[in-house]
C-alpha cells in the first residue's frame, strides 16, 4: 500500500504532488543544464550567469509556490474564523438545488449537525460580509505569491546578474586594457502591479497564481526580446502543467480501460468486497440516488464513501454525517460511482484465477499510466519546451544567448 500511496499521490493531477515531481525533481535540474549548454555555444561566462539565474529563479519560485500559498490560505482561514465565520461554508450552496442548498441543508441537518448548521445560519444572515471575507482571502493568498514570483524575485535576480556582469567587465577591462563599455538595460522593469487582483475569476487558485506569475515575468523582462522569450516559455509551462497532464491521463485511462486509483486496487478488503459482491454503491449516478446513499448513516463505512472522501469528492463529518457546509460536485461523484460499478461488472463472471490476474493487470496498467503521464509531461516540460523556446529565440534574436543577458539589440 505504501507504493500505491506514492503512485496515487503523483498521479493526482488536482494536487501539488505531480508539480513537485515534475518541477523540482525533473524539469528544473534539466532546464538548468540545458540553459548552460545553450548559452555556452557563444559565451561560457554568460552561460554560467544564465544557469545561475535559472537555478535561483526556479527554486525560489518553488519555495514561494509550495510554501507561501498554503500558509497564506491557512492564515486567511484563521482570520475569517476570528471574525466569527467558517471558511468551510461553500457559497455554491446559495444556488437553487433540489438536493443541496443553504436553506435545504439548514433544515435537513439542524439536528444531525447543529454546530455546522450554526455556521450556515451565520453566513446566510451575513452573506455580503462573508463574500467580502472570501474575496479578501482569494486576493491575499494569490496576490502576495504573484508579487514575489512575478516581480520581486526576478528584480533581485536581475540586479544580482547585473552586478556580476559589471564585475566581470571590470576584470576584463583591467586584463586587456580595453574600454569595454555598453549601455545594456539589465534592469528595465516595464510592468505595473496588477491593480485589481480582486477581479480575478474563480478558477483554480494555482492556475490563477501561475497566470499572474507569468504576467509579472513578462512585465519585468529586461528588454523586448526577453519579454517575448518569457511569454513563450510561460504560456507553454501553464499548458503543460495544468492542461496537458489531464488530457494525457484521460487518454491513457481510456486506452487501458482502467480508471480506479492504485490505492483502491491495492486495498485487499475493497477487492474482496468486489469479489464477494458485497460492495455497497448508489443504485445509479443520478443526484437522487447519490444523495440518498451518502445521506444514509448506515452507509458511512462503505468503500464508496471512504474513497470519495479520500479523493476529495465528498466531505463527511467524523460522526458519519455529510458536512452540510460543503458543496457536492454531483458530476464528479457520479463519474466516480460509475468507475467503481464498471470495474465490479467486469469481474462479475470471472473465475478466481481470472479475477486475480485481472486485478493485478489493472493495478499494473494504472501504475504505468501514472508513471507514463509523469514521464511524458516532464519530458515535454523539461526538454521539448526549452528546445522550442531556444529555436524560437534563435529565429527572433539571431542568437543562442539569454535575451536578458546578451548585449542589447535595441
Amino acid at each position: 500500500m505504501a507504493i500505491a500511496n506514492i503512485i496515487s499521490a503523483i498521479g493526482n493531477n488536482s494536487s501539488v504532488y505531480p508539480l513537485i515531481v515534475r518541477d523540482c525533481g525533473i524539469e528544473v535540474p534539466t532546464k538548468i543544464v540545458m540553459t548552460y549548454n545553450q548559452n555556452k555555444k557563444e559565451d561560457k561566462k554568460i552561460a554560467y550567469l544564465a544557469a545561475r539565474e535559472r537555478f535561483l529563479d526556479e527554486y525560489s519560485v518553488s519555495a514561494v509556490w509550495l510554501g507561501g500559498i498554503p500558509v497564506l490560505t491557512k492564515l486567511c482561514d484563521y482570520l475569517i474564523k476570528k471574525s466569527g465565520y467558517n471558511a468551510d461554508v461553500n457559497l455554491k450552496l446559495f444556488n437553487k438545488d433540489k438536493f443541496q442548498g443553504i436553506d435545504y441543508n439548514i433544515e435537513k441537518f439542524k439536528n444531525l449537525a447543529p454546530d455546522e448548521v450554526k455556521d450556515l445560519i451565520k453566513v446566510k444572515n451575513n452573506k455580503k460580509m462573508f463574500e467580502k471575507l472570501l474575496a479578501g482571502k482569494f486576493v491575499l493568498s494569490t496576490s502576495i505569491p504573484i508579487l514575489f514570483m512575478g516581480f520581486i524575485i526576478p528584480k533581485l535576480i536581475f540586479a544580482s546578474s547585473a552586478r556580476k556582469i559589471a564585475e566581470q567587465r571590470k576584470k576584463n577591462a583591467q586584463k586587456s586594457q580595453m574600454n569595454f563599455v555598453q549601455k545594456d538595460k539589465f534592469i528595465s522593469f516595464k510592468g505595473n502591479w496588477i491593480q485589481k487582483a480582486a477581479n480575478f475569476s474563480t478558477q483554480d487558485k494555482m492556475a490563477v497564481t501561475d497566470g499572474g506569475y507569468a504576467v509579472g515575468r513578462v512585465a519585468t523582462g529586461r528588454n523586448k526580446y526577453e519579454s517575448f522569450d518569457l511569454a513563450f516559455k510561460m504560456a507553454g509551462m501553464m499548458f503543460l502543467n495544468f492542461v496537458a497532464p489531464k488530457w494525457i491521463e484521460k487518454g491513457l485511462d481510456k486506452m487501458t480501460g482502467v480508471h480506479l486509483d492504485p490505492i483502491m486496487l491495492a486495498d485487499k478488503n475493497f477487492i474482496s468486497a468486489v469479489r464477494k459482491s458485497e460492495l455497497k454503491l448508489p443504485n445509479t449516478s443520478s443526484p437522487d440516488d447519490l444523495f440518498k446513499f451518502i445521506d444514509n448513516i448506515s452507509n458511512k463505512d462503505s468503500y464508496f464513501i471512504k474513497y470519495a472522501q479520500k479523493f476529495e469528492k465528498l466531505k463527511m463529518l467524523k460522526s458519519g454525517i455529510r458536512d452540510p457546509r460543503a458543496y457536492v460536485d454531483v458530476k464528479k461523484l457520479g463519474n466516480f460511482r460509475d468507475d467503481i460499478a464498471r470495474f465490479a461488472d467486469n469481474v462479475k463472471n470471472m473465475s478466481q484465477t481470472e479475477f486475480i490476474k485481472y486485478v493485478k493487470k489493472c493495478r499494473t496498467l494504472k501504475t504505468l499510466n501514472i508513471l507514463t503521464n509523469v514521464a511524458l509531461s516532464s519530458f515535454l516540460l523539461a526538454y521539448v519546451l526549452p528546445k522550442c523556446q531556444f529555436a524560437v529565440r534563435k529565429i527572433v534574436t539571431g542568437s543562442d544567448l539569454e535575451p536578458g543577458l546578451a548585449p542589447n539589440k535595441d
Side-chain angles (χ1 to χ4, degrees):
M1 282 293 284
I3 295 177
N5 284 327
I6 294 172
I7 297 297
S8 174
I10 65 174
N12 183 1
N13 286 308
S14 297
S15 74
V16 72
Y17 297 111
L19 290 173
I20 295 175
V21 173
R22 287 198 301 265
D23 291 6
C24 297
I26 302 173
E27 179 192 355
V28 174
T30 304
K31 282 184 174 179
I32 291 171
V33 173
M34 290 180 68
T35 296
Y36 179 81
N37 290 337
Q38 182 70 14
N39 283 269
K40 77 174 183 179
K41 297 175 184 178
E42 295 189 30
D43 191 318
K44 285 187 177 181
K45 292 174 181 176
I46 286 185
Y48 163 75
L49 287 174
R52 175 180 176 274
E53 279 197 353
R54 179 57 59 87
F55 175 85
L56 294 173
D57 184 16
E58 298 287 353
Y59 281 115
S60 58
V61 164
S62 294
V64 174
W65 177 268
L66 298 174
I69 294 174
V71 168
L72 286 169
T73 297
K74 288 183 179 180
L75 173 62
C76 291
D77 287 345
Y78 172 77
L79 294 175
I80 290 174
K81 186 176 181 180
K82 293 293 286 185
S83 299
Y85 299 87
N86 194 313
D88 290 338
V89 177
N90 195 311
L91 285 175
K92 287 184 179 179
L93 293 174
F94 282 92
N95 298 335
K96 293 182 179 180
D97 193 305
K98 180 181 178 182
F99 302 101
Q100 57 182 331
I102 192 81
D103 293 321
Y104 177 87
N105 282 5
I106 288 173
E107 182 61 29
K108 181 178 178 64
F109 293 96
K110 62 183 179 182
N111 297 321
L112 298 172
D115 291 336
E116 288 73 21
V117 167
K118 288 179 182 177
D119 292 336
L120 290 176
I121 293 173
K122 181 67 181 288
V123 169
K124 179 187 175 183
N125 294 335
N126 301 275
K127 183 185 176 185
K128 289 185 177 180
M129 175 58 71
F130 186 65
E131 287 176 333
K132 290 179 180 179
L133 290 171
L134 289 186
K137 171 186 174 180
F138 178 77
V139 171
L140 183 65
S141 61
T142 56
S143 61
I144 292 179
I146 288 171
L147 178 62
F148 273 90
M149 295 190 299
F151 294 86
I152 294 177
I153 289 175
K155 284 186 177 184
L156 293 174
I157 293 173
F158 294 166
S160 176
S161 291
R163 287 195 298 272
K164 291 281 184 182
I165 291 174
E167 289 171 4
Q168 187 60 48
R169 285 178 175 170
K170 186 176 180 181
K171 290 179 182 178
N172 291 342
Q174 290 173 346
K175 283 183 179 181
S176 60
Q177 299 298 313
M178 293 176 62
N179 184 19
F180 186 67
V181 180
Q182 299 211 16
K183 298 180 180 179
D184 300 316
K185 300 176 186 176
F186 288 106
I187 309 179
S188 177
F189 306 107
K190 304 173 182 178
N192 293 319
W193 172 238
I194 302 172
Q195 298 178 0
K196 297 183 179 180
N199 291 329
F200 283 153
S201 63
T202 56
Q203 60 183 297
D204 181 84
K205 188 183 295 182
M206 237 175 178
V208 171
T209 305
D210 209 40
Y213 163 45
V215 170
R217 284 307 166 95
V218 173
T220 54
R222 287 165 285 193
N223 54 56
K224 65 181 181 181
Y225 298 107
E226 183 173 48
S227 293
F228 177 84
D229 197 61
L230 288 168
F232 183 89
K233 181 185 80 168
M234 296 304 299
M237 285 179 62
M238 289 185 67
F239 175 77
L240 293 175
N241 265 323
F242 296 103
V243 181
K246 294 180 180 179
W247 286 5
I248 296 171
E249 179 184 15
K250 289 181 180 179
L252 292 172
D253 287 352
K254 188 174 182 179
M255 286 172 58
T256 59
V258 183
H259 299 272
L260 297 188
D261 191 274
I263 291 178
M264 300 176 71
L265 295 169
D267 186 337
K268 294 180 180 179
N269 293 325
F270 169 76
I271 295 300
S272 176
V274 173
R275 182 59 179 162
K276 296 176 181 178
S277 299
E278 296 175 352
L279 200 62
K280 298 170 69 176
L281 290 173
N283 292 331
T284 69
S285 57
S286 69
D288 191 18
D289 284 337
L290 289 173
F291 280 102
K292 188 181 295 183
F293 186 91
I294 63 179
D295 286 343
N296 185 339
I297 192 66
S298 65
N299 295 324
K300 67 176 183 176
D301 296 321
S302 68
Y303 286 105
F304 176 74
I305 288 181
K306 172 186 174 181
Y307 283 113
Q309 286 188 88
K310 183 171 184 61
F311 302 129
E312 299 181 350
K313 303 176 191 301
L314 186 63
K315 189 174 182 181
M316 306 290 284
L317 302 175
K318 291 182 179 180
S319 61
I321 302 296
R322 172 166 63 89
D323 190 337
R325 300 165 301 186
Y327 182 82
V328 180
D329 188 323
V330 176
K331 184 177 180 180
K332 289 183 179 179
L333 189 63
N335 289 338
F336 181 62
R337 179 264 170 205
D338 289 343
D339 288 341
I340 298 175
R342 194 178 301 112
F343 176 79
D345 288 341
N346 288 343
V347 303
K348 188 180 295 183
N349 298 318
M350 290 182 180
S351 67
Q352 182 64 16
T353 302
E354 290 174 330
F355 174 74
I356 293 173
K357 287 183 178 179
Y358 181 75
V359 172
K360 287 182 178 179
K361 177 184 175 182
C362 288
R363 190 163 61 238
T364 300
L365 285 174
K366 186 61 178 179
T367 298
L368 288 175
N369 284 356
I370 291 172
L371 295 179
T372 299
N373 193 347
V374 171
L376 181 56
S377 55
S378 296
F379 174 71
L380 293 172
L381 269 167
Y383 184 80
V384 176
L385 178 60
K387 281 292 186 181
C388 292
Q389 180 187 358
F390 297 156
V392 172
R393 175 191 300 169
K394 183 75 172 180
I395 294 171
V396 174
T397 68
S399 170
D400 290 312
L401 296 176
E402 292 286 318
L405 295 170
N408 187 32
K409 292 179 178 292
D410 292 331

